[in-house]
Amino acid sequence: RVLRARANCWKAARLCTGVRMPMEGGARAACRARLFGEVLGEAERASARGEWAVLVMDACATRVASSLATMSELMERGVSLVEDLAKRREPMPSQDAVYFISPTPQSLGRLIEDFGGAAPQYRAARVYLTSACPAPLLAKIKGATHLLPRLKALKEINLEVVLEDSRTLLAPAPLALECMYAPGAARSATAQGEWRRWASQLATVFATLGELPAVRYSASDGGVTDAAAVAGLARECHAAVQALARRSTGMPAAETCELLVLGRAFDPVAACIHEWTYEAMAYDLLPIRNGSVYRYDVQTNAGGSEARDAILGERDPMWTELRHLHLAEASLRLNRTLEGFSANNRAAQMRGGQKREVSTRDLKKMVQAMPQYRDQLQRLSLHIDIASKINEAVRARALKAAGEVEQDLVLGDATSKELIALLGSHGEDLSSQDKLRVLLCYAATHPEKLDTSKRTQWMKLARLEEGDMKTVGNLEHLGIAVNKKKRAWRAWSMSAASAVPRRRCARRVAAPRRRSSVCSASRRC
């Protein structure tokens, strides 16, 4: 129900804002075209003449390039070697170098050092920057007298985001939580500097996609801290996009889309609720390493088993087909795929031991189907293993019951009564993290329900630690009213500056409580 409601909301948002994909192939095609066409275009043309280039990247550019291309694709475009800018490298004075780096003092300083001595690191350099270069650093490059004669190109590529998949771009921001929600973050120079960096990264997305956005934000999104931070980030995004539009020739003259800047308080439940799609459950419940590597056991022809690593990504068509489906629907589709595979693949029929006489023609078709059979069987065994491990974890950790309570809390169909019943019946099966997530859903959807005594009661009932309850209370920093607020009349009656005597004030407040519920007798009041 939550997923269906979210889908309807996003459909309405698309209709209102006119969101569209900018070109055939989406974000992946646009980013790859920029990397291969602008960064490696000259190296590919030089490789046709028998000349190879060295690709030198810093940490930021390495993350970008790794999400867009493989090493074999780089070599096909004239790259003989990929080097890390931060490490000591062997001099290659007979080869040109392509520098794909971010415009930071450290990276540009190392670039200048490579050509600062009597023996340069490379014959020449083509430098491509991931984002706009600040004026002081540009002046530093102009002053590098040993670098300028060997500098064949210096260009801002405006590509500083990591491609997660064909429709998802990530801008790494390890300090996001502190710089958006720490007390006083809106007035912090460090936070404002991070906002400018994030805005610059987002601006490169629109430069790559060829779009000019109108920036929208809610001035009253969440609490005071959240609203100030969201407004500050939105202003930085608008300034960065406009500055890039003035410099770039590929940006449209008029606004073509909208950029919505939202704080976490806009949808606080999404960060803690259990998501029941295939991809979300896999990342939530299974040990996936390095962002996409999953290890599972397969049976060998000898009857044993061996560990095998699989990369969960868009190169696997079955992963692309299943990842956004509900877990139950994904399991049904896997069963149908397995049945169809067994019925249609001749190699699978032969391996299944069908009781019929096999002709030479059948054997020939079986041999022709063997490579495809192995590939399909490997993908099927991978996803059957993933689905079975997810279902085992759901049963062992009582996540079905927890998920039902979470969805009822979000939709307003459950209160603390249902949460108490869940913790009483499944408290032993639920992990501390799962109980904390359910409690976070309750606090985010039922404002001003916690005080010191309630917090202690929940901690004892759920068997959580003091640090877990502090996590629940920290939702206040996101602009969510978690703690009970003191009544205004109590603060007023305790004020030393009040001219009304405290006892008389108390009688006035308490008097209506002694009257009947029928108001006709209290018209004089």
Side-chain angles (χ1 to χ4, degrees), residues 186-206:
R187 300 181 299 273
S188 170
T190 302
Q192 293 174 6
E194 284 293 299
W195 296 351
R196 285 190 289 272
R197 188 175 69 83
W198 304 339
S200 176
Q201 289 177 323
L202 289 175
T204 66
V205 174
F206 294 102

Side-chain angles (χ1 to χ4, degrees), residues 455-466 469:
R455 188 178 288 106
T456 303
Q457 291 173 7
W458 282 118
M459 184 175 67
K460 291 181 179 179
L461 179 62
R463 299 179 185 179
L464 296 175
E465 302 292 336
E466 183 66 31
M469 299 310 299

Side-chain angles (χ1 to χ4, degrees), residues 24 48 57 117 130 132 135 138 157 257 259 281 314 317 319 331 335 357 364 378 394 499 504:
E24 185 68 25
M57 298 185 290
T130 58
L138 190 60
I157 296 300
C257 63
L259 169 63
M281 295 297 282
E314 292 186 333
W319 170 261
S331 299
N335 290 333
E357 189 174 342
K364 180 180 179 181
Q378 183 176 349
V394 168
R504 184 177 179 183

Side-chain angles (χ1 to χ4, degrees), residues 57-363:
M57 298 185 290
D58 59 4
C60 175
T62 300
R63 287 194 299 268
V64 174
S66 299
S67 68
L68 296 175
T70 62
M71 187 62 195
S72 60
E73 289 176 328
L74 296 178
M75 294 184 67
E76 290 173 359
R77 287 161 175 82
V79 174
S80 61
L81 183 65
V82 177
E83 294 273 28
D84 188 349
L85 179 66
K87 296 181 180 179
R88 178 181 289 272
R89 288 155 281 130
E90 180 182 355
M92 296 182 178
S94 60
Q95 282 190 294
D96 291 352
V98 176
Y99 283 82
F100 183 38
I101 57 178
S102 56
T104 62
Q106 296 80 8
S107 296
L108 293 180
R110 292 190 180 98
L111 165 66
I112 295 173
E113 289 176 5
D114 285 349
F115 296 89
Q121 190 81 15
Y122 306 103
R123 182 176 58 190
R126 294 184 180 87
V127 182
Y128 301 96
L129 304 176
T130 58
S131 60
C133 183
L137 296 179
L138 190 60
K140 189 176 180 180
I141 295 177
K142 292 180 180 179
T145 56
H146 295 281
L147 172 62
L148 288 180
R150 300 179 181 272
L151 189 62
K152 290 187 175 181
L154 177 61
K155 187 176 181 181
E156 296 173 356
I157 296 300
N158 295 317
L159 185 61
E160 203 172 64
V161 289
V162 177
L163 187 73
E164 183 71 8
D165 55 47
S166 59
R167 297 185 180 183
T168 308
L169 294 165
L170 301 179
L175 299 178
L177 194 62
E178 296 90 333
C179 292
M180 288 295 292
Y181 297 106
R187 300 181 299 273
S188 170
T190 302
Q192 293 174 6
E194 284 293 299
W195 296 351
R196 285 190 289 272
R197 188 175 69 83
W198 304 339
S200 176
Q201 289 177 323
L202 289 175
T204 66
V205 174
F206 294 102
T208 300
L209 299 179
E211 301 280 352
L212 181 63
V215 181
R216 309 291 187 205
Y217 71 99
S218 175
S220 60
D221 187 13
V224 176
T225 303
D226 189 33
V230 168
L233 179 58
R235 286 192 292 267
E236 293 292 347
C237 289
H238 177 73
V241 169
Q242 293 299 322
L244 190 59
R246 289 191 295 267
R247 294 195 312 269
S248 177
T249 57
M251 301 279 284
E255 295 169 347
T256 57
C257 63
E258 292 190 352
L259 169 63
L260 300 180
V261 181
L262 303 174
R264 184 70 272 169
F266 180 80
D267 185 12
V269 177
C272 51
I273 194 172
H274 287 87
E275 191 75 65
W276 285 81
T277 55
Y278 183 72
E279 180 182 27
M281 295 297 282
Y283 277 92
D284 196 357
L285 303 178
L286 303 183
I288 297 176
R289 299 175 289 109
N290 300 326
S292 61
V293 181
Y294 174 69
R295 174 164 292 185
Y296 67 109
D297 294 330
V298 295
Q299 290 185 349
T300 61
N301 294 329
S305 63
E306 64 179 10
R308 181 175 296 174
D309 288 341
I311 298 178
L312 304 179
E314 292 186 333
R315 294 179 182 274
D316 181 356
M318 193 168 293
W319 170 261
T320 306
E321 178 186 355
L322 299 175
R323 58 181 175 176
H324 297 316
L325 298 179
H326 189 278
L327 179 61
E329 186 178 352
S331 299
L332 291 175
R333 188 166 297 189
L334 267 176
N335 290 333
R336 289 196 296 267
T337 303
L338 181 60
E339 293 172 358
F341 171 74
S342 300
N344 299 328
N345 191 286
R346 288 185 175 273
Q349 294 171 0
M350 295 297 298
R351 187 164 182 171
Q354 285 191 342
K355 301 297 184 180
R356 67 179 182 87
E357 189 174 342
V358 181
S359 64
T360 307
R361 184 178 181 182
D362 291 334
L363 286 175

